Amino acid sequence: MDGGVKKTGVTSSQVAQRAGVSQSAVSRSFTPGASISPETRAKVLAAAKELGYRPNAIARSLITNRSRIVAVVMAYLDNLFYPDVLEQLGRLLAKEDYRLLLFTGLAGGDSDPVFDQLMQYRVDGIVLASTSLSSELSEECAAAGIPVVLFNRTTERDAVSSVTTHNREGGRRVAEYLLAGGHRRFGYIAGLESSSTNRDRLAGYREVLGEAGHKDILVEVGNYDRAGAQAAARKLLSRPDRPDALFVANDHMAVAVMDVARYELGLSVPEDISIVGYDDVGPAQWDAYGVTSMSQPHRRMVEATVEVLMSQISSGEIAAEHRVFSGELIVRTSARLPPSGVVEVEGRKVFRPER
Amino acid sequence: MDGGVKKTGVTSSQVAQRAGVSQSAVSRSFTPGASISPETRAKVLAAAKELGYRPNAIARSLITNRSRIVAVVMAYLDNLFYPDVLEQLGRLLAKEDYRLLLFTGLAGGDSDPVFDQLMQYRVDGIVLASTSLSSELSEECAAAGIPVVLFNRTTERDAVSSVTTHNREGGRRVAEYLLAGGHRRFGYIAGLESSSTNRDRLAGYREVLGEAGHKDILVEVGNYDRAGAQAAARKLLSRPDRPDALFVANDHMAVAVMDVARYELGLSVPEDISIVGYDDVGPAQWDAYGVTSMSQPHRRMVEATVEVLMSQISSGEIAAEHRVFSGELIVRTSARLPPSGVVEVEGRKVFRPER
DNA sequence: CAAGCTATTGCATACGTATGCAATATGCAA
DNA sequence: TTGCATATTGCATACGTATGCAATAGCTTG
């Protein structure tokens, strides 16, 4: 056992003694903007360095009533969209000097234990990017006076802040694209039926198709899950009246669907069937898939999330704020090209129909 | 600065008053195994429920000197292997009643700020699954008396606990497979050259190939990064003496390499070139890629990680412990099949050469 | 030179909980 | 009945920090 420092944390009082000042002086030396002379501060910092002192954030939280911790609830991470979001959340929160307490891999539906944790650790804010338990949890937290931001989803009553994209518009755009491509039979593979995101995308899709006289859309549910999406795809694509245009509620499912179409059913994409996804996330961009997809500007969405959170934390106001972004329909190879409307913007092909 | 609204914050004293008991009694009611009569406890719990009381974990940490928080450092999440690990870590830690403080998306190389955070929050344990800053960080933490587990990597001196697989063995197995498949020219796309994982895999690969008389292996560095891997692949695969067998240090890079081979260079896999990856992670298993890959049993690796951590936390002993697991070479379609040695185990084809 | 002001410092206390210790209540045996 | 062991309970304090308040030092202004 060489001189390894034991679990005995160095305290501000020890530093104070060493530096020949009061504990208050030590505290003030580590508090930006506090009243402390440069000389005293220098003495304190020197002593602190010698002893390896770091302020105890736990004790600090107790007195300031601020933990500088933001909780992020993200039920599953197998859709790369979420790890992407998580990584940038970590980056931006760190920049604001906040820590990220992650709740993931939780047993479905059971929101109470999570809520307990959040309350017990007195987190300063919460990002809910998970799916099922959002509505219950968000109401509880908002009621407890903790700022909450729903990421990529909303609740019925707009009582809780949210950051989303125009999902209904997105659904409409996809329909327009597929119509322009001359497709005839339309299908949809849903995410979680209960999720706002899914409902809005489908609603927009239905609207435009309905206006064009296509009322009978084949719908199967994939639950935002790879296996679920594949099961849905098998059902939908083995029908005699198989659709020639398929909108899949997100890219994570879209690539799964493409695998089924190509390798299980021997279909060609997009010759036999056009597939459009949502999110414009990692694998969708890979050459093996090349998914035509509605993008969600997740960088800006995360920025907005942190902005809203920080503003609510510092103001104490938790009036609900809703930030809604717009995406683009990124054109790749998984769906037949329409004769017009595809333009090149910043090196990417996007669909912008002339009205 | 911030005229914030005070949070509710029900305290144990308030509950005590309501229940007509002392604060101590409240505390004991929430401490398993404490000395408290069933009647008193019932009264307390009733009062607590009425007031919506939850013990303040911050205050509790201050006195118990245990935060029940484990820090996880994971620099990047775009390789799905890590989100998978993260999700299960979250699950298992929750089961042990620990919280997960995530450090991700950090600016490269700069380990000091992270270390500061860890110390300030008095985390009870640390999982380092990140890459570059592991060695420096781990030494510092171990020196500070905090249990550390390196996940999927080790350091030079074995002073810090680790959970890994037999990477050298894995590299050997890959070489055996490719040799058995009758390949002639061998290449390797490296991860981070400094990482132990990468070095060991390459070493094993080299050993076996060397024994078979193949000394000149073409190596390019991909840095565990998609873009890097693709650049490396372009270099390696446009050479006139292009290899017909390529070992890529992980699946995340392997699928990127396959995209380059197929869609940029027009090569057929495995007819023109065989590709073998490592990890057996998500996309590698998808039909569009079907990567033949050395698996890492990440479920069991995460279990072991949590076990080691819990044991070190509860015992106070931080003697380094090294858990090493074995994987299988999962046979799919990205590499030519050898005439023998491929057997079916639990529904999966694996390579087990007869010796 | 005096008076007044500002900058700096230390003292004392508070944050919400856990826990050693002493005090009390309860139960049992004699 | 008494005495003793045990189960509960409350009191007081400690954890490590931040901060209002009063005291002091240093400086400016007249």
Side-chain angles (χ1 to χ4, degrees), chain A residues 274-335:
Chain A
S274 286
I275 292 177
V276 176
Y278 217 108
D279 288 347
D280 190 36
V281 78
Q285 307 170 5
W286 300 350
D287 289 327
Y289 295 103
V291 180
T292 293
S293 177
M294 269 304 296
S295 68
Q296 298 209 88
H298 71 265
R299 293 279 155 74
R300 284 187 291 146
M301 291 170 72
V302 173
E303 282 171 15
T305 301
V306 173
E307 269 176 37
V308 170
L309 223 42
M310 292 300 124
S311 119
Q312 296 195 350
I313 289 174
S314 65
S315 74
E317 293 292 329
I318 51 172
E321 188 175 339
H322 301 277
R323 300 277 190 101
V324 189
F325 291 86
S326 293
E328 289 276 12
L329 183 58
I330 310 293
V331 173
R332 295 203 183 81
T333 56
S334 69

Coordinates of all heavy atoms in Angstrom, one line a residue, chain A residues 274-335:
Chain A
S274 N -41.2 0.8 -53.1 CA -40.5 2.0 -52.6 C -40.7 2.1 -51.1 O -41.8 1.9 -50.5 CB -41.1 3.3 -53.2 OG -40.7 3.4 -54.6
I275 N -39.6 2.5 -50.4 CA -39.7 2.6 -48.9 C -39.2 3.9 -48.5 O -38.1 4.4 -49.0 CB -38.9 1.5 -48.3 CG1 -39.5 0.1 -48.5 CG2 -38.7 1.7 -46.8 CD1 -38.8 -1.1 -48.0
V276 N -39.9 4.6 -47.6 CA -39.5 5.9 -47.1 C -39.5 5.8 -45.6 O -40.5 5.3 -45.0 CB -40.4 7.0 -47.6 CG1 -40.0 8.4 -46.9 CG2 -40.4 7.2 -49.1
G277 N -38.5 6.3 -45.0 CA -38.3 6.3 -43.5 C -38.4 7.6 -42.9 O -38.8 8.6 -43.5
Y278 N -38.0 7.7 -41.6 CA -38.1 8.9 -40.9 C -36.9 9.0 -39.9 O -36.5 8.0 -39.3 CB -39.4 9.0 -40.1 CG -40.0 10.4 -40.0 CD1 -41.1 10.7 -40.7 CD2 -39.4 11.4 -39.2 CE1 -41.7 12.0 -40.7 CE2 -39.9 12.6 -39.1 CZ -41.1 12.9 -39.9 OH -41.6 14.2 -39.8
D279 N -36.3 10.2 -39.8 CA -35.2 10.5 -38.9 C -33.9 10.8 -39.6 O -33.1 11.6 -39.1 CB -34.8 9.3 -37.9 CG -35.9 9.1 -36.8 OD1 -36.7 10.0 -36.7 OD2 -35.8 8.1 -36.1
D280 N -33.7 10.1 -40.7 CA -32.4 10.3 -41.4 C -31.2 10.0 -40.5 O -30.3 10.8 -40.3 CB -32.2 11.7 -42.0 CG -31.0 11.8 -42.9 OD1 -30.7 10.9 -43.6 OD2 -30.4 12.9 -42.9
V281 N -31.3 8.8 -39.9 CA -30.3 8.4 -38.9 C -29.3 7.4 -39.5 O -29.6 6.7 -40.5 CB -31.0 7.8 -37.7 CG1 -31.4 6.4 -38.0 CG2 -30.1 7.9 -36.5
G282 N -28.1 7.4 -38.9 CA -27.0 6.5 -39.3 C -27.2 5.5 -40.4 O -26.9 5.8 -41.6
P283 N -27.7 4.3 -40.1 CA -27.8 3.2 -41.0 C -28.6 3.6 -42.3 O -28.3 3.0 -43.3 CB -28.5 2.1 -40.2 CG -28.2 2.4 -38.8 CD -28.1 3.9 -38.7
A284 N -29.5 4.5 -42.1 CA -30.3 4.8 -43.3 C -29.5 5.5 -44.4 O -29.7 5.4 -45.5 CB -31.4 5.8 -42.9
Q285 N -28.4 6.1 -43.9 CA -27.5 6.8 -44.8 C -26.5 5.9 -45.4 O -25.8 6.3 -46.4 CB -26.8 7.9 -44.1 CG -27.7 8.9 -43.3 CD -27.0 9.8 -42.4 OE1 -25.8 9.9 -42.4 NE2 -27.8 10.6 -41.6
W286 N -26.3 4.7 -44.9 CA -25.3 3.8 -45.4 C -25.7 3.3 -46.8 O -26.9 3.1 -47.1 CB -25.1 2.6 -44.4 CG -24.7 3.0 -43.1 CD1 -24.3 4.3 -42.7 CD2 -24.6 2.2 -41.9 NE1 -24.0 4.3 -41.3 CE2 -24.2 3.1 -40.8 CE3 -24.9 0.9 -41.6 CZ2 -24.0 2.6 -39.5 CZ3 -24.7 0.4 -40.3 CH2 -24.3 1.2 -39.3
D287 N -24.7 3.0 -47.6 CA -24.9 2.7 -49.0 C -25.8 1.4 -49.1 O -26.5 1.3 -50.1 CB -23.6 2.5 -49.7 CG -22.9 3.8 -49.9 OD1 -23.6 4.8 -50.1 OD2 -21.6 3.8 -49.9
A288 N -25.6 0.5 -48.2 CA -26.4 -0.7 -48.3 C -27.9 -0.5 -48.2 O -28.7 -1.3 -48.7 CB -26.0 -1.7 -47.3
Y289 N -28.3 0.6 -47.6 CA -29.7 0.9 -47.5 C -30.1 2.1 -48.3 O -31.0 2.1 -49.1 CB -30.1 1.1 -46.0 CG -29.9 -0.2 -45.3 CD1 -28.8 -0.4 -44.4 CD2 -30.8 -1.2 -45.4 CE1 -28.6 -1.6 -43.7 CE2 -30.6 -2.4 -44.7 CZ -29.5 -2.6 -43.9 OH -29.4 -3.8 -43.2
G290 N -29.4 3.2 -48.1 CA -29.8 4.4 -48.9 C -31.2 4.8 -48.7 O -31.9 5.0 -49.7
V291 N -31.7 4.9 -47.5 CA -33.1 5.1 -47.3 C -33.5 6.6 -47.5 O -32.9 7.5 -47.0 CB -33.5 4.8 -45.8 CG1 -35.0 5.0 -45.6 CG2 -33.1 3.4 -45.5
T292 N -34.5 6.8 -48.4 CA -35.1 8.1 -48.5 C -35.9 8.3 -47.3 O -36.7 7.5 -46.9 CB -36.0 8.0 -49.8 OG1 -35.2 7.9 -50.9 CG2 -36.8 9.3 -49.9
S293 N -35.6 9.5 -46.7 CA -36.1 9.6 -45.3 C -36.4 11.1 -44.9 O -35.6 12.0 -45.3 CB -35.0 9.1 -44.3 OG -35.4 9.2 -43.0
M294 N -37.4 11.3 -44.1 CA -37.6 12.7 -43.6 C -36.6 12.9 -42.5 O -36.5 12.1 -41.5 CB -39.0 12.8 -42.9 CG -40.1 13.2 -43.9 SD -39.8 14.9 -44.7 CE -39.8 16.0 -43.2
S295 N -35.9 14.0 -42.6 CA -34.8 14.2 -41.6 C -35.4 14.9 -40.3 O -36.4 15.6 -40.4 CB -33.7 15.0 -42.1 OG -34.2 16.3 -42.4
Q296 N -34.8 14.6 -39.2 CA -35.1 15.4 -38.0 C -33.8 16.1 -37.6 O -32.8 15.4 -37.4 CB -35.6 14.6 -36.9 CG -36.9 13.9 -37.2 CD -37.7 13.6 -35.9 OE1 -38.5 14.4 -35.5 NE2 -37.5 12.4 -35.3
P297 N -33.8 17.4 -37.5 CA -32.5 18.1 -37.2 C -32.1 17.9 -35.7 O -32.4 18.8 -34.9 CB -32.8 19.6 -37.5 CG -34.3 19.7 -37.3 CD -34.9 18.3 -37.6
H298 N -31.6 16.8 -35.4 CA -31.4 16.4 -34.0 C -30.4 17.3 -33.3 O -30.6 17.5 -32.1 CB -31.2 14.9 -33.8 CG -29.9 14.4 -34.2 ND1 -29.6 13.9 -35.4 CD2 -28.7 14.4 -33.5 CE1 -28.4 13.5 -35.5 NE2 -27.8 13.9 -34.4
R299 N -29.4 17.8 -34.0 CA -28.5 18.7 -33.4 C -29.2 19.9 -32.8 O -29.1 20.2 -31.6 CB -27.5 19.2 -34.4 CG -26.5 18.2 -34.9 CD -25.4 17.9 -33.9 NE -24.9 16.6 -34.0 CZ -24.1 16.2 -35.0 NH1 -23.7 17.1 -35.9 NH2 -23.6 15.0 -35.1
R300 N -30.0 20.5 -33.7 CA -30.7 21.7 -33.2 C -31.8 21.4 -32.2 O -32.1 22.2 -31.3 CB -31.4 22.4 -34.4 CG -30.3 23.2 -35.2 CD -30.9 24.0 -36.3 NE -31.5 23.2 -37.4 CZ -32.6 23.5 -38.0 NH1 -33.3 24.6 -37.8 NH2 -33.0 22.7 -39.0
M301 N -32.4 20.2 -32.3 CA -33.4 19.8 -31.3 C -32.8 19.7 -29.9 O -33.3 20.1 -28.9 CB -34.0 18.5 -31.8 CG -34.9 18.6 -33.0 SD -35.4 17.0 -33.7 CE -36.6 16.5 -32.4
V302 N -31.6 19.1 -29.9 CA -30.9 18.9 -28.6 C -30.5 20.3 -28.0 O -30.7 20.6 -26.9 CB -29.7 18.0 -28.7 CG1 -28.9 18.0 -27.4 CG2 -30.1 16.6 -29.1
E303 N -30.0 21.2 -28.9 CA -29.7 22.5 -28.5 C -30.9 23.2 -27.9 O -30.8 23.8 -26.8 CB -29.2 23.4 -29.7 CG -27.8 23.1 -30.1 CD -27.5 23.8 -31.4 OE1 -28.2 24.7 -31.8 OE2 -26.4 23.4 -32.0
A304 N -32.0 23.1 -28.5 CA -33.3 23.7 -28.0 C -33.7 23.1 -26.7 O -34.1 23.8 -25.8 CB -34.4 23.5 -29.0
T305 N -33.5 21.8 -26.6 CA -33.8 21.1 -25.3 C -33.0 21.7 -24.2 O -33.6 22.0 -23.1 CB -33.5 19.6 -25.5 OG1 -34.3 19.0 -26.6 CG2 -33.9 18.9 -24.2
V306 N -31.8 21.8 -24.4 CA -30.9 22.3 -23.3 C -31.3 23.8 -23.0 O -31.3 24.2 -21.9 CB -29.4 22.2 -23.7 CG1 -28.5 22.9 -22.7 CG2 -29.1 20.7 -23.8
E307 N -31.5 24.5 -24.1 CA -31.9 25.9 -23.9 C -33.2 26.0 -23.0 O -33.2 26.8 -22.0 CB -32.2 26.6 -25.2 CG -31.1 27.3 -25.9 CD -31.5 27.8 -27.3 OE1 -32.7 28.2 -27.4 OE2 -30.7 27.7 -28.2
V308 N -34.2 25.3 -23.4 CA -35.4 25.4 -22.6 C -35.2 25.0 -21.2 O -35.7 25.7 -20.3 CB -36.5 24.5 -23.3 CG1 -37.7 24.3 -22.4 CG2 -36.9 25.0 -24.6
L309 N -34.4 23.9 -21.0 CA -34.2 23.5 -19.7 C -33.4 24.5 -18.8 O -33.8 24.8 -17.7 CB -33.3 22.2 -19.8 CG -33.6 21.0 -18.9 CD1 -35.1 20.8 -18.8 CD2 -32.9 19.8 -19.4
M310 N -32.4 25.1 -19.4 CA -31.6 26.0 -18.7 C -32.4 27.3 -18.3 O -32.3 27.8 -17.2 CB -30.4 26.5 -19.5 CG -29.3 25.4 -19.7 SD -28.7 24.8 -18.2 CE -29.0 23.0 -18.3
S311 N -33.2 27.7 -19.3 CA -34.0 28.9 -19.0 C -35.0 28.6 -17.9 O -35.3 29.5 -17.1 CB -34.7 29.3 -20.3 OG -36.1 29.3 -20.2
Q312 N -35.6 27.5 -17.9 CA -36.6 27.2 -16.9 C -35.9 27.0 -15.5 O -36.5 27.4 -14.5 CB -37.4 25.9 -17.3 CG -38.2 26.1 -18.5 CD -39.3 25.1 -18.7 OE1 -39.3 24.1 -18.0 NE2 -40.2 25.3 -19.7
I313 N -34.8 26.4 -15.5 CA -34.1 26.2 -14.3 C -33.7 27.5 -13.6 O -33.9 27.8 -12.5 CB -32.8 25.3 -14.5 CG1 -33.2 23.9 -14.8 CG2 -31.9 25.4 -13.2 CD1 -32.0 23.0 -15.1
S314 N -33.1 28.4 -14.5 CA -32.6 29.6 -13.9 C -33.7 30.6 -13.6 O -33.6 31.4 -12.6 CB -31.6 30.3 -14.8 OG -32.2 30.7 -16.0
S315 N -34.8 30.5 -14.3 CA -35.9 31.5 -14.0 C -36.9 31.0 -13.0 O -37.6 31.7 -12.3 CB -36.7 31.8 -15.3 OG -37.5 30.7 -15.7
G316 N -36.9 29.7 -12.8 CA -37.9 29.1 -11.9 C -39.3 29.0 -12.5 O -40.2 28.5 -12.0
E317 N -39.4 29.6 -13.7 CA -40.6 29.5 -14.4 C -40.7 28.2 -15.1 O -39.8 27.8 -15.8 CB -40.7 30.6 -15.5 CG -40.8 32.0 -14.9 CD -42.1 32.3 -14.2 OE1 -43.1 31.7 -14.6 OE2 -42.1 33.1 -13.3
I318 N -41.8 27.5 -15.0 CA -41.9 26.3 -15.7 C -43.1 26.3 -16.6 O -43.8 25.3 -16.9 CB -42.0 25.0 -14.8 CG1 -43.0 25.2 -13.7 CG2 -40.6 24.8 -14.2 CD1 -43.2 24.0 -12.9
A319 N -43.4 27.5 -17.2 CA -44.5 27.6 -18.2 C -44.0 26.7 -19.4 O -42.9 26.8 -19.8 CB -44.6 29.0 -18.6
A320 N -45.0 26.0 -19.9 CA -44.6 25.0 -21.0 C -44.2 25.8 -22.2 O -44.8 26.8 -22.6 CB -45.8 24.1 -21.3
E321 N -43.2 25.3 -22.9 CA -42.7 26.0 -24.1 C -42.6 24.9 -25.1 O -42.1 23.8 -24.8 CB -41.3 26.6 -23.8 CG -40.8 27.4 -24.9 CD -39.5 28.1 -24.4 OE1 -39.2 28.1 -23.2 OE2 -38.7 28.5 -25.3
H322 N -43.0 25.2 -26.3 CA -43.0 24.1 -27.4 C -42.2 24.6 -28.5 O -42.5 25.6 -29.2 CB -44.4 23.8 -27.8 CG -45.3 23.3 -26.7 ND1 -45.3 22.0 -26.3 CD2 -46.1 23.9 -25.9 CE1 -46.1 21.8 -25.2 NE2 -46.6 23.0 -25.0
R323 N -41.1 23.9 -28.8 CA -40.2 24.2 -29.9 C -40.4 23.1 -31.0 O -40.3 21.9 -30.8 CB -38.7 24.1 -29.5 CG -38.4 25.1 -28.4 CD -38.1 26.5 -28.9 NE -37.5 27.3 -27.9 CZ -36.2 27.6 -27.7 NH1 -35.4 27.1 -28.6 NH2 -35.8 28.3 -26.8
V324 N -40.8 23.6 -32.2 CA -41.1 22.7 -33.3 C -40.1 23.0 -34.5 O -40.1 24.2 -34.9 CB -42.5 22.8 -33.7 CG1 -42.9 21.7 -34.7 CG2 -43.5 22.8 -32.5
F325 N -39.5 22.0 -34.9 CA -38.5 22.2 -36.0 C -39.1 21.6 -37.3 O -40.0 20.8 -37.3 CB -37.2 21.6 -35.7 CG -36.5 22.3 -34.6 CD1 -36.7 22.0 -33.3 CD2 -35.6 23.3 -34.9 CE1 -36.1 22.7 -32.3 CE2 -34.9 24.0 -33.9 CZ -35.2 23.7 -32.6
S326 N -38.4 21.9 -38.4 CA -38.8 21.3 -39.7 C -37.7 20.5 -40.2 O -36.5 20.8 -40.0 CB -39.1 22.4 -40.7 OG -40.2 23.1 -40.3
G327 N -38.0 19.4 -40.9 CA -37.0 18.6 -41.5 C -37.1 18.7 -43.0 O -37.9 19.5 -43.6
E328 N -36.3 17.9 -43.7 CA -36.4 17.8 -45.2 C -36.6 16.4 -45.6 O -36.2 15.5 -44.8 CB -35.0 18.3 -45.8 CG -34.7 19.7 -45.6 CD -35.3 20.6 -46.7 OE1 -36.2 20.0 -47.5 OE2 -35.0 21.7 -46.8
L329 N -37.2 16.2 -46.7 CA -37.2 14.8 -47.2 C -35.9 14.6 -48.0 O -35.7 15.1 -49.1 CB -38.4 14.6 -48.1 CG -38.6 13.2 -48.6 CD1 -38.7 12.2 -47.5 CD2 -39.8 13.0 -49.5
I330 N -35.0 13.8 -47.4 CA -33.8 13.5 -48.0 C -33.9 12.4 -49.0 O -34.4 11.3 -48.6 CB -32.7 13.1 -46.9 CG1 -32.7 14.1 -45.8 CG2 -31.3 12.9 -47.6 CD1 -32.2 15.4 -46.1
V331 N -33.6 12.7 -50.2 CA -33.8 11.7 -51.3 C -32.6 10.8 -51.5 O -31.5 11.3 -51.8 CB -34.2 12.4 -52.6 CG1 -34.2 11.4 -53.8 CG2 -35.5 13.1 -52.5
R332 N -32.8 9.5 -51.3 CA -31.8 8.5 -51.7 C -32.4 7.5 -52.6 O -33.1 7.9 -53.5 CB -31.2 7.9 -50.4 CG -30.5 8.9 -49.5 CD -29.5 8.2 -48.5 NE -28.9 9.2 -47.7 CZ -29.5 9.7 -46.6 NH1 -30.7 9.2 -46.2 NH2 -28.9 10.7 -45.9
T333 N -32.0 6.3 -52.4 CA -32.4 5.3 -53.5 C -33.5 4.3 -53.1 O -33.8 3.4 -53.9 CB -31.1 4.5 -53.8 OG1 -30.6 3.8 -52.7 CG2 -30.0 5.4 -54.4
S334 N -34.1 4.4 -51.9 CA -35.0 3.4 -51.5 C -36.4 3.6 -52.1 O -37.3 2.8 -51.8 CB -35.0 3.3 -50.0 OG -35.6 4.4 -49.4
A335 N -36.6 4.7 -52.7 CA -37.9 5.0 -53.3 C -37.8 5.5 -54.7 O -36.8 6.3 -55.0 CB -38.7 6.0 -52.4

